[in-house]
Amino acid sequence: MDATTQFLLLACAAFAAGVLNAIAGGGTFLTFPALVYTGVPPIAANATSALAVCPGYLGSTLGFRQELAALPRRQLLREMLICAAGGLAGALLLLVTPAKVFAGVVPWLLLFATALFAFGPRIARWAGGSEEEGSLARWRYPALALVALYGGYFNGGLGILLMALYLLVGETRLHTVNGLKNLNSFVLSVLSVAAFALGGAIVWKQALLMAVFATLGGFAGARLAKRLPVAWVRTIVIVTGLVMSALFFARAS
């Protein structure tokens, strides 16, 4: 593959990832495979992809600033701290994971994230009721810590997991869920990217190129997210996740 083709592929994947992350998550389903396809090893591709989509999370967060401003500040700060710690821990775990092990677990991580997003609302309805009746709201912070650990380890499907988590614990407004997802994705990504950079896992040329286009996509996606029907958003993310999972299972076989 020549340099021009690589540039176009990575730029388009990053822009589309920024849009997709702003709408409902799952943008790394595009950036990670694009990097692997252009010859970047899986662990380096994951680290590079994390940096590429990180600025896009900030752009998307700004697009939902009104929804976030309506939430209690103490709650937001607590969740940001949890995500920062979890993202850093997950990144450090990735840096000590053998490349062969990571390549083998990637398809399962993608499939898990997609399935949880697809069935999240149904599980939330099944779990419904007040906290005394068995609601999952009490597990909001412990579950967020686990998702942040996952996000630091493997950025693929992070937004999907965060959206599923917030639906499970009782958040009912989609725009608020999107705002929380983008804010916490940005926070944990910043810490994990810092760890990847110190560990020498990032391919900088590709990362910086993709970061520019992912940021542009994030701004565009934040506006689009408020116009698209919810059913369309869910369908886009689920189809993307299933296709990428299938491709990586085929690659691993």
Side-chain angles (χ1 to χ4, degrees):
M1 182 184 300
D2 60 70
T4 301
T5 304
Q6 286 193 22
F7 174 89
L8 291 174
L9 174 62
L10 295 178
C12 290
F15 183 85
V19 172
L20 194 56
N21 277 339
I23 294 174
T28 307
F29 287 158
L30 302 178
T31 54
F32 177 75
L35 285 161
V36 172
Y37 184 72
T38 57
V40 180
I43 288 182
N46 185 53
T48 302
S49 177
L51 174 57
V53 301
C54 186
Y57 289 135
L58 177 59
S60 301
T61 299
L62 294 176
F64 291 99
R65 57 186 178 276
Q66 291 182 343
E67 288 78 8
L68 292 172
L71 296 172
R73 181 168 296 183
R74 180 174 296 182
Q75 174 188 328
L76 287 177
L77 290 175
R78 184 180 293 120
E79 294 192 1
M80 289 168 66
L81 288 173
I82 291 172
C83 286
L88 181 59
L92 294 175
L93 181 61
L94 175 67
L95 291 175
V96 298
T97 300
K100 186 175 181 180
V101 172
F102 181 73
V105 79
V106 161
W108 296 103
L109 292 172
L110 290 171
L111 187 60
F112 169 74
T114 305
L116 186 56
F117 181 80
F119 296 105
R122 184 176 300 177
I123 298 173
R125 289 193 296 270
W126 169 76
S130 66
E131 188 165 315
E132 289 76 19
E133 296 170 345
S135 169
L136 299 178
R138 71 188 72 178
W139 298 104
R140 182 180 183 121
Y141 297 134
L144 182 61
L146 290 176
V147 172
L149 180 68
Y150 167 91
Y153 183 80
F154 180 60
N155 197 261
L158 169 61
I160 294 175
L161 281 175
L162 283 171
M163 290 193 75
L165 166 65
Y166 282 120
L167 288 169
L168 286 171
V169 299
E171 289 288 351
T172 57
R173 295 163 296 183
L174 183 62
H175 296 332
T176 298
V177 169
N178 249 324
L180 287 167
K181 176 260 296 179
N182 288 317
L183 173 63
N184 289 323
S185 294
F186 175 71
V187 170
L188 76 87
S189 292
V190 167
L191 271 294
S192 62
V193 164
F196 293 147
L198 291 174
I202 294 175
V203 183
W204 287 100
K205 182 179 179 181
Q206 288 90 328
L208 296 177
L209 164 68
M210 297 179 82
V212 171
F213 284 93
T215 303
L216 295 175
F219 278 110
R223 292 187 176 187
L224 187 60
K226 296 182 179 182
R227 299 177 182 177
L228 283 178
V230 175
W232 288 21
V233 173
R234 293 188 57 80
T235 300
I236 290 170
V237 176
I238 292 169
V239 170
T240 301
L242 290 175
V243 169
M244 292 305 167
S245 298
L247 289 176
F248 274 86
F249 273 117
R251 180 186 178 92
S253 62

